[in-house]
Amino acid sequence: MDKIITTGKLKDKPPFRDSNSAVAPAKVMCHNCSKLKIFLGALAFSFFAKGFSGSYMKSMSSQIERRFEISSSIFGIIDGSFELGNLMVMVLVSYLGPRVHRPKVIAVGCLIMSLGAFLSVMPQFLMGRYNYERIAVTVDNSSTSVSACSPASSVDHSVSDATETPSTMKNSGLVRSSGMFGPTLGFLLGSFCASLWVDIGVVDIDAININPKDTRWVGAWWLGLLICGAVNFIASLPFFFLPYSLTKEGEDENPKKIGHLPVQGDHCKTDPPAQPELKFSEAVKDFLPTLKKLFGNPVFLVYVFLTILQYNSLVGLITYETKFMEQQFNVSVAKAIFLVGVILLPITILGMFLGGYLIKKFKLHVTGMAKFACISFIVAYLLNLLYFMCNCEVLQLAGLTVPYSGFKQLSSPKNSFTASCNADCSCKVDQWDPVCGDNGITYMTACFAGCKSSTGMGKNMVFHNCSCVEGQEDGHGNASAVLGQCQRESCTKAFPYFLALQTACAFILALGGTPTYMIMFRSVSPDLKSFAVGIETLGGRILGGLPAPIYFGALIDETCLKWGTKSCGGSGSCRIYDTKAFRNVYLGLIAGLRAGCCVLYMVLCVLIMRRFKTDDKEMTDTKNAEETINKEPATVNKKEALPGAKTSEESEETCM
């Protein structure tokens, strides 16, 4: 005989058997809870994997440019092409999301990203080892090389770099925030790989004459992509074992087995409706009306435009931030990537968490969120303008940014590398192997410095008797030069101030990031939230993530002073930039885009205050009414009820 069990006791009872002696689990809620935790954990890890891979790819921008001798605009096209995949599926998936097997869709997406990472590594092994530009000097028995300034040194050498060796909303906030840790570790991995030589394991590292600060240095960019591919593959595995949907609270996971048991409190409930089958024709038919309804919301429309501008400024900043630090402040790419990973991204995560905490602490309504986000963004924008005060002089490169002191220029102003001090050296203009003279001026090669001899090997090589370094009136003939560009001390000293300013701006911007994102959910109807997220992300990535790296890179290319040369001919990646022009272009673009964001934030605040002004008044009246009711005696509260509410007796009669 079956036993009547209350709903509250069902969770505490051990498993029991039905009439067919089949075991029916009693702890249904705990089972569903465990599945939910698995899903949230898997989703959080997939966000982590995506951020990890994307940030690593952006941190390797300079390495990829130099490895394949491409310009910044070409890399921008490569980087922006990532968004083309989103264009093909994002709207469709967000619109059809409730009608498809979402865990398997996520799993397939992770597998595609994993495959893409592995395929991106192939050019490294198909193209052979990396050969960087340098002039060749022969060494005699006395370990002193022959003159770099000689007709023999003018031959176009493409020397190998080294010698080969034998060797709910709460949960949704948590999930998105967990994805922010991915970029942090992605940049840290990028810093580590950038410090390793690209052909590590197959070349003699000691034979390499350049260091990570050299603009010809290429790190092991491919190594991190292998790790990214493995992480994305692991992220896909849990989703293949998750069900179509999770049972809601109060519902039986297997109603066929325990549905006949009379459980008190459940005899009025019906089985959950079956999931409607996906009809593609109906979905397409309803798409345009749904889209029209969504864009008919002025708050959401302004929010989308705001998102697009923010994506443009953010993507452009992240893509070329390390290049800007390298060129402007004379730091290595590996160090720049490391600083972004350990300082800027963690402070951004902290700002996002703090912004969410303030919303919960002060129970901000949508109008309060809009004001808070607007004020924080404007403050960050004003701090952003201080970037222009971080001045840094242009590298003194003989014949390009400064003249050969005391010598007559023999070539045209456009190509003024040749002077009377190196006229008989027959130097090649398309070579780049810079040396730093005793006078603090950088020369494109030791040949252009007019150096007659050298001592030492590898990185320790020193050139002597450099006619262009010693000066016209200085005839003692013992001026020397060392490998590499001259250091700019004033730029190095200004870097900590720039980093502190950027950290403050990143924190304030992130502080208003969470309230801004919450505005979208509060301004659209519940049935359109999933579609709204897809449209917002699509607009931001296609109109921001795709074009921003391209036009940022194209304008940065315009500030290049000296292009490298490919081994097969033609211009390669940029060797040196006009740092002042670079700063004005890079920071000017970001400031201009954020100025537009400030205007849209103000418009958004006005629209939200007009739309939700009545709601704020109603919420205030309701709150005052609740406080008045709470002050009345408890006996009165028991008998009073809100209009339209049913008593327990009426509920039981309705259930009967």
Side-chain angles (χ1 to χ4, degrees):
M1 183 175 180
D2 292 329
K3 191 175 181 180
I4 304 296
I5 307 173
T6 61
T7 306
K9 294 180 180 179
L10 179 62
K11 300 177 184 178
D12 301 327
K13 290 290 182 179
F16 52 89
R17 298 180 180 274
D18 59 11
S19 58
N20 296 326
S21 298
V23 177
K27 297 186 178 181
V28 178
M29 293 302 302
C30 293
H31 185 58
N32 293 335
C33 182
S34 64
K35 283 188 176 180
L36 178 61
K37 290 180 179 179
I38 293 174
F39 174 75
L40 290 177
L43 189 63
F45 188 72
S46 69
F47 268 72
F48 167 85
K50 179 184 176 184
F52 181 74
S53 304
S55 62
Y56 176 80
M57 188 67 178
K58 289 189 178 297
S59 70
M60 291 290 104
S61 59
S62 297
Q63 314 300 313
I64 294 175
E65 286 180 23
R66 297 168 186 173
R67 175 63 181 89
F68 301 105
E69 294 291 351
I70 58 177
S71 63
S72 297
S73 58
I74 297 298
F75 174 80
I77 295 175
I78 297 173
D79 184 69
S81 63
F82 174 80
E83 309 298 344
L84 294 178
N86 292 310
L87 174 64
M88 293 186 290
V89 298
M90 186 175 295
V91 175
L92 186 63
V93 170
S94 63
Y95 180 65
L96 303 178
R99 314 175 193 184
V100 296
H101 198 297
R102 284 170 285 189
K104 288 187 177 180
V105 171
I106 298 174
V108 172
C110 292
L111 283 179
I112 293 175
M113 288 192 65
S114 175
L115 179 62
F118 289 133
L119 290 176
S120 300
V121 177
M122 292 182 64
Q124 168 66 19
F125 303 101
L126 294 176
M127 295 183 64
R129 290 181 298 169
Y130 169 61
N131 298 323
Y132 63 91
E133 293 178 86
R134 66 177 181 178
I135 61 172
V137 290
T138 57
V139 182
D140 59 19
N141 295 330
S142 64
S143 75
T144 302
S145 70
V146 298
S147 172
C149 174
S150 65
S153 68
S154 64
V155 181
D156 186 12
H157 295 279
S158 179
V159 185
S160 176
D161 50 314
T163 306
E164 188 174 359
T165 57
S167 39
T168 56
M169 195 58 65
K170 179 181 179 181
N171 292 329
S172 175
L174 291 177
V175 171
R176 288 178 62 88
S177 298
S178 66
M180 289 297 298
F181 290 99
T184 300
L185 294 183
F187 272 93
L188 291 180
L189 177 63
S191 175
F192 173 73
C193 293
S195 63
L196 303 176
W197 183 244
V198 60
D199 294 316
I200 185 173
V202 296
V203 297
D204 183 9
I205 304 299
D206 295 332
I208 300 174
N209 296 339
I210 59 177
N211 57 46
K213 282 191 175 183
D214 197 290
T215 56
R216 294 166 293 171
W217 177 273
V218 176
W221 61 274
W222 54 272
L223 183 61
L225 284 178
L226 292 177
I227 299 175
C228 292
V231 170
N232 280 280
F233 177 77
I234 295 173
S236 69
L237 297 180
F239 293 102
F240 285 109
F241 302 98
L242 289 172
Y244 182 93
S245 62
L246 297 177
T247 307
K248 296 182 180 179
E249 184 176 354
E251 295 178 356
D252 293 331
E253 184 180 26
N254 197 348
K256 293 182 179 180
K257 290 186 177 181
I258 61 176
H260 68 282
L261 293 174
V263 180
Q264 184 178 351
D266 286 351
H267 57 278
C268 294
K269 295 183 179 179
T270 59
D271 292 336
Q275 189 73 21
E277 295 184 359
L278 176 63
K279 295 183 179 180
F280 187 77
S281 59
E282 294 182 2
V284 173
K285 182 179 179 181
D286 296 336
F287 178 80
L288 290 179
T290 305
L291 187 66
K292 183 179 179 180
K293 180 181 178 182
L294 192 61
F295 280 108
N297 184 343
V299 173
F300 178 76
L301 189 61
V302 174
Y303 177 83
V304 169
F305 287 133
L306 175 63
T307 300
I308 292 172
L309 288 184
Q310 285 184 323
Y311 258 91
N312 275 269
S313 63
L314 181 63
V315 171
L317 184 146
I318 293 178
T319 305
Y320 298 105
E321 180 71 6
T322 55
K323 179 190 286 288
F324 176 75
M325 289 182 179
E326 178 195 29
Q327 295 291 330
Q328 191 75 23
F329 300 105
N330 203 34
V331 298
S332 66
V333 175
K335 182 179 179 180
I337 296 172
F338 177 80
L339 292 173
V340 171
V342 300
I343 297 179
L344 296 182
L345 290 180
I347 204 69
T348 301
I349 297 172
L350 178 62
M352 293 180 65
F353 272 111
L354 184 58
Y357 172 78
L358 293 176
I359 292 176
K360 182 179 180 181
K361 177 68 175 178
F362 298 101
K363 299 179 180 179
L364 296 180
H365 190 243
V366 63
T367 53
M369 293 181 192
K371 294 176 182 178
F372 178 70
C374 181
I375 293 173
S376 62
F377 191 90
I378 292 176
V379 171
Y381 176 73
L382 295 177
L383 286 176
N384 183 76
L385 297 179
L386 298 178
Y387 285 156
F388 291 95
M389 298 179 62
C390 299
N391 293 324
C392 186
E393 73 272 14
V394 180
L395 177 69
Q396 292 185 322
L397 183 63
L400 187 62
T401 60
V402 293
Y404 284 89
S405 179
F407 295 98
K408 181 181 179 182
Q409 301 291 128
L410 300 180
S411 53
S412 62
K414 184 178 180 181
N415 182 18
S416 56
F417 297 106
T418 304
S420 58
C421 60
N422 57 25
D424 57 347
C425 294
S426 303
C427 303
K428 283 286 185 179
V429 180
D430 57 356
Q431 289 181 335
W432 176 262
D433 193 6
V435 295
C436 177
D438 289 340
N439 55 2
I441 296 178
T442 301
Y443 297 85
M444 199 161 65
T445 63
C447 179
F448 283 104
C451 300
K452 305 298 188 299
S453 63
S454 66
T455 58
M457 291 294 295
K459 298 177 183 178
N460 299 320
M461 183 178 291
V462 179
F463 296 90
H464 301 283
N465 300 326
C466 303
S467 57
C468 294
V469 177
E470 62 188 32
Q472 187 177 27
E473 67 284 345
D474 208 356
H476 48 73
N478 58 0
S480 62
V482 296
L483 287 173
Q485 301 177 14
C486 295
Q487 300 297 312
R488 294 170 290 164
E489 297 298 332
S490 62
C491 301
T492 306
K493 293 178 181 179
F495 182 63
Y497 300 101
F498 170 81
L499 194 63
L501 181 61
Q502 194 172 46
T503 302
C505 289
F507 177 76
I508 298 174
L509 282 174
L511 201 64
T514 301
T516 302
Y517 190 73
M518 294 295 294
I519 289 174
M520 179 184 66
F521 288 98
R522 300 291 180 89
S523 62
V524 298
S525 56
D527 59 315
L528 296 178
K529 286 184 179 179
S530 175
F531 192 37
V533 172
I535 293 297
E536 176 259 348
T537 308
L538 176 73
R541 289 189 170 180
I542 300 305
L543 299 179
L546 177 60
I550 300 175
Y551 68 77
F552 264 81
L555 292 175
I556 289 174
D557 285 340
E558 294 297 320
T559 67
C560 182
L561 295 176
K562 177 66 174 69
W563 291 94
T565 304
K566 296 180 181 179
S567 58
C568 57
S571 62
S573 60
C574 186
R575 302 305 186 204
I576 179 175
Y577 291 89
D578 182 344
T579 53
K580 289 186 178 180
F582 191 168
R583 182 185 70 246
N584 293 334
V585 167
Y586 177 72
L587 298 179
L589 279 174
I590 296 174
L593 291 169
R594 288 181 175 175
C597 291
C598 288
V599 175
L600 290 178
Y601 260 115
M602 296 177 186
V603 174
L604 190 65
C605 281
V606 172
L607 291 175
I608 289 177
M609 285 189 291
R610 288 180 179 178
R611 176 175 174 179
F612 294 96
K613 184 176 181 181
T614 306
D615 294 346
D616 285 341
K617 184 177 180 181
E618 291 179 356
M619 288 183 64
T620 304
D621 295 340
T622 303
K623 184 176 181 181
N624 294 334
E626 290 177 354
E627 292 177 354
T628 304
I629 293 175
N630 292 333
K631 293 179 181 179
E632 295 182 0
T635 55
V636 178
N637 291 338
K638 290 181 180 180
K639 296 181 180 180
E640 292 183 353
L642 294 175
K646 295 182 179 181
T647 63
S648 58
E649 294 81 359
E650 292 174 339
S651 299
E652 291 181 359
E653 292 177 359
T654 305
C655 188
M656 296 293 290

